[in-house]
Amino acid sequence: MKEVLNLLPVLLVAMLANIATGLYYNIGVRDYTFDKKKLMNGIAKAVIITITFISLAFCSEAVNLVNVGVQPSFAIYSAITIYASKAFISLTKILGIKSNFETK
């Protein structure tokens, strides 16, 4: 559980980078209008994901879920990678750099 708690700030930074680059790209580059509801849904999603990681780490430590294949540290590393990658994709779009990582 300690490893997951130590990684939560990294996950938060990755989530904030994703939100910031996504906002700038959609509003500053694509001229979309700001959608407060969409932003609030994204923030709610980030909070729910964070609470879920803390819960999984607690359950894993209390019941030893590692024996059945549940490893919260793997899940949080995966989430950090996903959010950082999404921020990177938005950043390449903002800078006009072609990337093999672009999503549809």
Side-chain angles (χ1 to χ4, degrees):
M1 180 158 170
K2 185 176 179 181
E3 182 180 12
V4 170
L5 293 176
N6 288 338
L7 289 171
L8 285 177
V10 179
L11 178 61
L12 177 64
V13 169
M15 288 176 167
L16 291 175
N18 177 51
I19 291 169
T21 55
L23 276 172
Y24 181 79
Y25 176 69
N26 286 316
I27 295 171
V29 176
R30 296 181 76 187
D31 288 329
Y32 285 1
T33 57
F34 177 75
D35 186 349
K36 185 177 179 180
K37 183 179 179 183
K38 190 171 183 179
L39 176 63
M40 296 309 292
N41 284 338
I43 292 171
K45 178 182 169 185
V47 169
I48 290 167
I49 288 171
T50 302
I51 291 170
T52 301
F53 282 122
I54 294 169
S55 302
L56 282 174
F58 174 77
C59 292
S60 179
E61 190 170 289
V63 185
N64 196 8
L65 294 176
V66 175
N67 290 338
V68 293
V70 176
Q71 296 185 6
S73 60
F74 175 76
I76 198 163
Y77 280 116
S78 299
I80 291 168
T81 302
I82 289 167
Y83 278 101
S85 298
K86 291 171 79 171
F88 176 75
I89 290 167
S90 292
L91 186 59
T92 60
K93 289 178 181 178
I94 291 168
L95 298 174
I97 300 170
K98 279 288 191 185
S99 168
N100 294 331
F101 303 109
E102 289 188 31
T103 59
K104 294 180 182 180

